[in-house]
Amino acid sequence: MKLDNLLIELLTEELPPKSQKQLGISFAKNIKEFLAKHHLANEISEDSIFSTPRRIGLYLKNVKDEADNQNVSIKLMPASVGFDGSEKPTEALLKKLHAIGLNEKDVSGIVKKNENNAEILYINKNEEGAKLKDIIGECISSSLARLPIKKMMSYQLSDGWTTVNFVRPAHGLVILHGANVINANVLGIPSNRTTLGHRFESKKEIIEIQHADQYEEQMKIEGAVIVSFEERKALIKKTLNERAASLSNQLTPIEDEDLLDEVTALVEYPNILAGEFESKFLDVPQECLILSMKANQKYFPLIDKNKKLSNQFLIVSNISPKNSDLIIQGNEKVIRPRLSDAEFFYAQDKKKPLKDYLSQLSHIVYHNKLGSQSERSERVKTIASLIVKNLNQSKLLDAVMLASDLSKADLSSNMVGEFPELQGIMGRYYALNEKISDEVAFAIEDHYKPRFSGDSLPRSTVGDIVAIADKIETLIGLFSIGEKPTGDKDPFALRRQVIGIIRILTEKNIGLNLNTVISESIQATKLVESKDLNSFIYDRLSNFFKDQGYAALDIEAVLAIESGLINEIPPRLNAIKEFLLLSESEDLASANKRVGNILKKADVKSTLKVDQSLLKDDAEINLYKILDLVDAESRKEYAAKNYSGSLKLLCKLKNPIDQFFKDVMVNAEDESLKMNRLALLEKLYSAMNLVADLSKLSS
């Protein structure tokens, strides 16, 4: 057995930049898992993952050329099938043994194991260890087959007959175990030790890799290729910052992880250059210019310390000529028409007020079962008015109605037609241009927020209301036509819509009853009610607060009694956390569960009243007296939203409850005594479950 480092490189035509990084990661993961399964490597062994525009690969340390022999336990068949009534092996058992390389002599080594009330036959077999040279071809082929490729290419090999399917045509395969080539054929390509460097910058036409350990260095020096995605990315990020600082110490490249990943996937050895455009274009909203530079040209816009856009930008080039002027001039020439288009669209859009765009919304389909964007906008407006009423914010009604009315207007503008990502943003600019109040203008932009995890929230109460209304309309509308998420599929981002509502209500501490507003919204918009929506929202609430670090049982306890005031959930959860630190909490939770079970079994209605004259035993009299005091104090703290204080007062009930269950027979023969004691328990149950359903906390 020889231990050495393994290199695998698959040379291809240019890989899709947006998936290149993941292709490299998945390929390496699949290779490691395969080799570990065959005991040739360890899944936690140190590795280096390679991916460039023209290659994916892996360098893995300490790979065996031959695995140790393995003693494996092989499942054969049920004992009833393998042996007859005389405990002699059946024909079926003998055939199975022959199939795995054993014979009749090995029957004595068979053992019986009980599985699911049935006896199953097993036998141990010493299997020869896998050889790297024998399985490496299968290893690579199966790893490639498992890559997350959305769309395959079909192409023919040089023989003109054989068709191969892969994300891009492959041209080379390097497999080195140390200094030795391991022979294999993958995608019709035989392995060797040669590869190609940079298309334009490579010092050698063919690069011959001498040893697996020398691959990265040889590719960098001889081939002008940085094969590590993460190393290229770090270099680009560092050089972008340095180049920006060299232009002005106030300038920094815009932070955009997706753009950084994409340009890293487009170059094999980056060269950072600076270009600029005419200052006149800075009169166009900077979001338009930034998006145009990023989306169309993959440039890095530069911003100053006040987050204002500069007329300079950075280019990540894949070539490094002695004189870069032509590259810079070419890129500056390309960007001007793009910025001119943005300038033209902006000027045209400003020629008419936002309200004039509303008529065009009736021609934009929102969903074929839910009508146009105009119809949708009316539903949002209706829901927003209901939220205003529920929040008792009538003074904001006019602003909310105007913001709701104009919220989708920019969808029919030239700029949003060209750059859909600017919806809302352009609405704000156009609103401010016609002197509409900042409150309404910002609400037009903010009603889409939060757009993604960690995004900022609306900047005003008007924005909060319209944002919640928009998200509720999306939820009830799409659920009404059966467009609900399934598994990992959520094409309309409905999970994000719920999380957005939760964040606004909790982080802004808005006392809106979500259940009430959803119910009223369904009725007002005449959409079909979906029973699945409530459970969907419940699941999102549960998962959201789990992600915040709260315990699952605590969340379940609070959600069991919470009536729709989402902003109340965090303080209740914090109160539960404090309550569980008390020594009496576990006994009180258990007692609450016991009381709940008794009441459920007795089918008690909450209309029962305690008759003090029927309280006979000292234990029930004592419980009633203390409960009366605790209930009043606890409800006072509850009303003041001191949930922790409300729960702590329940500790005074522990001993009276224990004594009650010790001394008092609830199901007395006298029906009047029985019903009175059940009424007492109902009063106790109500008092204990103000903040949360404590029975959920009982183990």
Side-chain angles (χ1 to χ4, degrees):
M1 187 270 289
K2 180 185 176 184
L3 200 65
D4 216 327
N5 302 326
L6 178 69
L7 169 69
I8 300 172
E9 183 212 64
L10 181 68
L11 185 71
T12 68
E13 305 235 350
E14 273 69 11
L15 296 165
K18 290 189 177 179
S19 58
Q20 180 206 117
K21 178 183 178 181
Q22 190 55 48
L23 289 175
I25 292 171
S26 296
F27 181 62
K29 178 176 177 287
N30 295 342
I31 293 285
K32 287 180 72 172
E33 286 177 354
F34 190 99
L35 294 176
K37 179 183 176 182
H38 289 80
H39 308 286
L40 291 167
N42 193 317
E43 279 192 59
I44 62 171
S45 295
E46 186 180 344
D47 65 9
S48 297
I49 300 171
F50 309 129
S51 61
T52 80
R54 295 204 296 157
R55 73 201 78 228
I56 55 174
L58 169 72
Y59 169 77
L60 183 61
K61 288 191 172 183
N62 300 322
V63 176
K64 300 175 182 177
D65 66 344
E66 184 176 348
D68 298 331
N69 291 346
Q70 304 293 318
N71 191 276
V72 295
S73 179
I74 301 174
K75 185 176 182 179
L76 299 173
M77 60 188 63
S80 58
V81 177
F83 291 105
D84 61 20
S86 303
E87 286 298 301
K88 291 184 178 179
T90 62
E91 189 66 26
L93 178 58
L94 295 176
K95 283 184 178 180
K96 178 67 175 179
L97 290 174
H98 290 151
I100 60 175
L102 301 176
N103 55 45
E104 293 86 340
K105 295 178 182 178
D106 298 298
V107 171
S108 59
I110 293 175
V111 295
K112 297 178 181 179
K113 294 182 182 179
N114 195 289
E115 293 181 3
N116 298 322
N117 298 319
E119 285 192 323
I120 307 296
L121 303 181
Y122 282 84
I123 191 166
N124 289 330
K125 181 188 177 188
N126 191 48
E127 291 191 344
E128 185 179 348
K131 293 180 172 60
L132 184 62
K133 65 182 180 63
D134 294 336
I135 69 162
I136 194 65
E138 181 190 353
C139 171
I140 297 172
S141 295
S142 67
S143 298
L144 293 175
R146 291 166 56 199
L147 293 181
I149 300 171
K150 292 182 180 179
K151 192 173 182 181
M152 287 281 195
M153 282 186 67
S154 293
Y155 60 94
Q156 287 184 324
L157 298 181
S158 56
D159 61 13
W161 295 97
T162 308
T163 299
V164 175
N165 297 311
F166 193 52
V167 62
R168 291 292 184 269
H171 296 300
L173 176 65
V174 174
I175 309 176
L176 290 178
H177 189 229
N180 299 317
V181 174
I182 301 181
N183 294 320
N185 191 297
V186 177
L187 300 177
I189 302 167
S191 61
N192 57 30
R193 64 170 70 247
T194 61
T195 187
L196 302 178
H198 195 289
R199 280 197 187 276
F200 310 107
E201 307 286 339
S202 183
K203 293 179 180 178
K204 291 186 176 181
E205 185 176 350
I206 302 293
I207 299 171
E208 187 172 322
I209 309 301
Q210 301 301 320
H211 193 285
D213 296 350
Q214 298 172 12
Y215 172 71
E216 283 194 76
E217 185 179 3
Q218 276 191 261
M219 290 303 294
K220 190 179 295 185
I221 295 172
E222 299 175 20
V225 176
I226 299 174
V227 289
S228 166
F229 186 95
E230 294 303 329
E231 185 181 343
R232 282 199 318 284
K233 181 177 176 180
L235 177 62
I236 291 171
K237 189 172 184 178
K238 175 175 175 288
T239 313
L240 284 170
N241 286 311
E242 291 173 349
R243 192 74 180 89
S246 72
L247 298 172
S248 167
N249 58 12
Q250 293 188 336
L251 295 179
T252 55
I254 196 163
E255 291 186 14
D256 188 321
E257 200 69 16
D258 290 338
L259 177 61
L260 187 57
D261 277 344
E262 191 170 358
V263 297
T264 302
L266 288 168
V267 300
E268 293 199 309
Y269 206 110
N271 179 29
I272 312 299
L273 305 171
E276 65 178 58
F277 55 85
E278 291 92 330
S279 298
K280 67 170 186 171
F281 290 121
L282 293 176
D283 292 335
V284 178
Q286 67 180 44
E287 291 90 344
C288 308
L289 305 180
I290 289 171
L291 185 59
S292 181
M293 284 189 277
K294 285 166 43 177
N296 295 316
Q297 314 306 143
K298 314 306 174 190
Y299 299 151
F300 280 84
L302 296 174
I303 53 176
D304 64 22
K305 62 181 181 181
N306 296 317
K307 303 299 180 184
K308 296 296 182 183
L309 182 67
S310 160
N311 69 321
Q312 294 176 293
F313 59 92
L314 297 179
I315 307 154
V316 181
S317 174
N318 193 36
I319 54 176
S320 303
K322 291 180 180 179
N323 186 348
S324 300
D325 290 347
L326 288 177
I327 299 176
I328 295 169
Q329 290 167 14
N331 280 277
E332 290 176 342
K333 185 177 180 180
V334 167
I335 198 175
R336 286 190 188 97
R338 295 287 188 180
L339 301 186
S340 294
D341 286 346
E343 183 183 42
F344 174 77
F345 291 146
Y346 184 54
Q348 290 297 111
D349 287 343
K350 288 192 299 179
K351 288 181 179 179
K352 58 183 181 180
L354 267 176
K355 65 179 181 180
D356 287 3
Y357 288 100
L358 295 178
S359 60
Q360 298 176 49
L361 292 180
S362 60
H363 303 296
I364 302 175
V365 176
Y366 167 54
H367 191 288
N368 59 0
K369 294 182 180 179
L370 293 171
S372 67
Q373 286 288 0
S374 178
E375 292 170 291
R376 183 189 181 206
S377 185
E378 285 301 314
R379 291 194 294 269
V380 171
K381 192 174 177 181
T382 299
I383 296 169
S385 68
L386 292 173
I387 295 173
V388 169
K389 182 192 75 174
N390 277 273
L391 291 176
N392 195 24
Q393 292 276 10
S394 57
K395 61 184 180 181
L396 296 177
L397 183 60
D398 289 345
V400 168
M401 290 298 94
L402 181 57
S404 301
D405 205 28
L406 299 177
S407 63
K408 307 295 181 186
D410 67 354
L411 293 179
S412 53
S413 68
N414 290 298
M415 190 69 85
V416 174
E418 180 71 13
F419 300 112
E421 300 92 335
L422 295 176
Q423 56 187 306
I425 295 171
M426 296 315 303
R428 168 171 64 88
Y429 276 105
Y430 298 147
L432 292 173
N433 181 64
E434 56 182 286
K435 309 303 181 188
I436 292 175
S437 70
D438 287 3
E439 186 177 44
V440 171
F442 282 111
I444 292 171
E445 176 183 352
D446 291 350
H447 86 281
Y448 289 105
K449 293 182 177 179
R451 297 173 187 248
F452 50 85
S453 177
D455 190 20
S456 59
L457 299 182
R459 286 161 279 194
S460 69
T461 305
V462 172
D464 293 332
I465 292 171
V466 183
I468 294 170
D470 185 73
K471 291 166 178 55
I472 289 176
E473 191 281 333
T474 302
L475 289 166
I476 63 176
L478 290 167
F479 264 83
S480 74
I481 58 171
E483 292 282 9
K484 57 186 180 181
T486 55
D488 293 333
K489 295 181 179 179
D490 186 9
F492 298 100
L494 298 185
R495 294 184 179 95
R496 191 182 70 206
Q497 302 294 337
V498 178
I499 295 302
I501 294 172
I502 295 170
R503 282 194 58 203
I504 293 171
L505 294 177
T506 55
E507 294 179 32
K508 296 287 193 77
N509 193 23
I510 298 173
L512 178 70
N513 191 307
L514 187 60
N515 292 343
T516 300
V517 171
I518 287 177
S519 179
E520 291 179 356
S521 298
I522 291 170
Q523 188 174 1
T525 57
K526 296 180 172 57
L527 291 169
V528 179
E529 186 169 1
S530 170
K531 295 179 181 178
D532 295 331
L533 181 55
N534 284 338
S535 59
F536 178 74
I537 292 173
Y538 179 94
D539 289 343
R540 300 286 72 71
L541 281 166
S542 180
N543 290 333
F544 178 83
F545 287 108
K546 283 176 188 174
D547 291 342
Q548 300 295 309
Y550 292 104
L553 287 179
D554 297 8
I555 296 168
E556 189 179 347
V558 171
L559 294 184
I561 59 94
E562 176 46 50
S563 59
L565 291 169
I566 308 302
N567 67 315
E568 292 290 303
I569 296 175
R572 289 171 187 260
L573 287 169
N574 291 328
I576 288 289
K577 191 182 291 186
E578 290 183 33
F579 172 71
L580 291 173
L581 297 175
L582 302 175
S583 59
E584 298 90 345
S585 62
E586 188 174 343
D587 289 338
L588 285 170
S590 297
N592 185 264
K593 187 175 184 178
R594 183 177 180 182
V595 171
N597 289 336
I598 292 171
L599 294 174
K600 185 178 180 181
K601 190 173 181 181
D603 194 24
V604 171
K605 308 299 181 187
S606 59
T607 53
L608 288 177
K609 300 293 182 183
V610 179
D611 184 344
Q612 293 186 61
S613 66
L614 292 176
L615 297 172
K616 302 298 183 183
D617 291 351
D618 290 343
E620 61 181 329
I621 293 170
N622 185 48
L623 175 59
Y624 177 80
K625 288 180 179 178
I626 296 176
L627 174 59
D628 218 30
L629 293 171
V630 168
D631 191 22
E633 292 177 16
S634 178
R635 288 181 187 277
K636 184 178 178 182
E637 295 297 330
Y638 177 83
K641 300 191 183 300
N642 180 12
Y643 300 131
S644 181
S646 180
L647 286 173
K648 286 177 181 177
L649 285 166
L650 299 180
C651 294
K652 296 179 181 180
L653 294 171
K654 180 188 176 304
N655 291 333
I657 292 172
D658 291 345
Q659 198 64 42
F660 176 86
F661 281 121
K662 182 180 179 183
D663 297 348
V664 179
M665 173 68 71
V666 176
N667 293 318
E669 292 184 8
D670 186 324
E671 185 68 16
S672 61
L673 286 179
K674 173 185 173 183
M675 295 309 295
N676 200 53
R677 286 167 181 172
L678 287 172
L680 178 60
L681 291 182
E682 197 283 325
K683 180 179 173 68
L684 173 64
Y685 195 71
S686 174
M688 295 182 77
N689 292 325
L690 285 174
V691 176
D693 183 349
L694 298 188
S695 68
K696 303 291 185 183
L697 306 175
S698 177
S699 55

